[in-house]
Amino acid sequence: MRKPNLPSAVASIRHTSDMSEPPPPHRRRAHTRSRDLERYAGLFAGRTRVMRSSAMRDLMAVTARPEVISLAGGLPDTSTFPPKSFAAQMTRIAQASTAEALQYGPTEGFEETKDCILQVMGAEGMLPESDDIIVTTGGQQAIDLICKTLLDPGDVVICEAPTYPGAVPVFCSYQAEVVQIECDEDGMRVEELEGVLGRLADEGKRPKFVYSVPSFQNPAGVTMSFERRRRLVELARSHELLVVEDSPYGLLRYGGEALPPLYQLDGGDYVIYVGTFSKIFSPGIRLGWAVAPPPVMQKIVLGKQAADLCTSTLTQFFVREYFAEGLWQNYIEDLIEIYRRRRDVMLEALGKHFPPQATWTEPEGGLFIWATLPEYIDTSDLLAKALRDNVAFVPGQAAYIDGRGRNSMRLNFSGVSDDEIREGIRRIGKVIGEQVDLYGALTGEVPAAPRDEAADPGGDVLPFRKTGEAGQ
Ligand SMILES: Cc1ncc(COP(=O)(O)O)c(C=O)c1O
């Protein structure tokens, strides 16, 4: 039988008067969208009421437009990966192991992938047991599986303020009560943790874990000092408290001294480690991992079986081939060169284009700078204005559970060229300047001179605005 061609088939549906025939899908959707919402609302699980969308994911739709300079992503620069190596690695997989590469794999991940993970962790001084590792679909899935394993609704999670914006939707979807502890330039103020633990104990609450990104934190770019790392591990031991150390950026250091990971200081009794190949190789392969004590790992494996059976075999084979070449550390060195320069370009542009009332962090590694603006500026509103000028950033509120962070923003320097960084910061500086002028006009306060004209350009810039210090 000849298939009807599409336009005439659509026309015959349009002209039919027989109501038993369903309307074409696009018409059905337009007519019933609002009714559908009501119809399905009664079916949703209670937890969907507290689910949050990821600010970065939402922004991706807008920032994908080629005319937009996006300082919003957390994207490594994959354009630096040589296409010839990629082709050679994939060809080797096709020639030697097509059938296996296209097959399911073990839930825990392949031993060969774990060998690569052991090399990466070894480069930071960690020596976990292979059996304590699970290969996950990105570090993001590791966070999700840890929450799935440890959290009942209402359980307390302690994290940094600000925290990784991608962890916020996870904590929310498991209905956690999240307590955030302020950061300064030395990372989470661990000295406040003891008081928080005491207060929670008085309320009869025992937190399930502390979540921390101690090295070159996303979003603030700050790094937890050695003293605080040591203290955090001590507190974990004395309070029998788990710590989730999420460390995608540990090997991306551009200056200063390397610090031991929490996992190394603890030896793996109380610290669950989360790692990823995303920032040192590729986020597109979606390969990360978790390292946890055996009883916790057993439950995480059960959670992963239910979630997706196993992580992609194909990309695990790809990582294996890539590591077999023995050049993975050279690639990281190349990335470090590029990102260090981009960080410096961004810091210089901030000094030039942001008003003197603004402060920002000066990260020793990672992908992000965190800027704090005068308190009367709401960066969510500012983003709408910035997008009109085709530039994007992540508003700070995405990194807090309770609506704080309104006058701050996360700026990424890894996924954009030097020129885009300069131009992007110039455009954001311009919209901030307009807000500062408007505030001055409304309140009669004289806005401070632009940084270029200030007596001491950039000299009084705080690396980070501390809690309790009045914003301007
Ligand atoms: C702190 C942190 N954790 C986890 C992730 C998730 O990374 P992935 O799922 O790509 O491994 C990211 C990504 O930006 C991150 O910054």
Side-chain angles (χ1 to χ4, degrees), residues 324-339:
E325 289 178 355
L327 297 172
W328 65 274
Q329 281 175 304
N330 299 31
Y331 182 58
I332 295 178
E333 277 163 25
D334 293 346
L335 289 178
I336 286 175
E337 283 285 299
I338 296 167
Y339 296 164

Side-chain angles (χ1 to χ4, degrees), residues 293-349:
V296 182
M297 183 50 72
Q298 274 172 21
K299 301 290 183 199
I300 290 178
V301 170
L302 295 181
K304 169 123 179 122
Q305 284 173 3
D308 64 355
L309 308 179
C310 63
T311 297
S312 161
T313 303
L314 182 58
T315 60
Q316 288 190 70
F317 275 46
F318 180 33
V319 161
R320 176 204 296 188
E321 286 301 328
Y322 174 57
F323 271 66
E325 289 178 355
L327 297 172
W328 65 274
Q329 281 175 304
N330 299 31
Y331 182 58
I332 295 178
E333 277 163 25
D334 293 346
L335 289 178
I336 286 175
E337 283 285 299
I338 296 167
Y339 296 164
R340 181 191 290 121
R341 195 190 61 239
R342 290 183 183 172
R343 174 203 60 179
D344 293 344
V345 167
M346 185 172 273
L347 288 171
E348 195 188 316

Side-chain angles (χ1 to χ4, degrees), residues 137-140 143 164 211 213 218 246 248-249 276 278-279 283 286:
T137 305
Q140 189 69 26
I143 301 170
Y164 164 47
Y211 169 81
V213 184
N218 177 1
D246 185 7
Y249 309 105
T276 179
S278 286
K279 314 296 171 165
R286 307 306 304 127

Side-chain angles (χ1 to χ4, degrees), residues 1 22 38 53 70 85 148 169 226 241-242 292 296 351 399 412 428 443 471:
M1 203 179 78
E38 281 167 33
S53 84
S70 178
S85 315
K148 191 180 190 181
F226 177 71
L241 178 68
L242 289 173
V296 182
N412 166 262
I428 298 173
T443 62

Side-chain angles (χ1 to χ4, degrees), residues 111 150 282:
E111 278 310 314
L150 298 174
S282 151

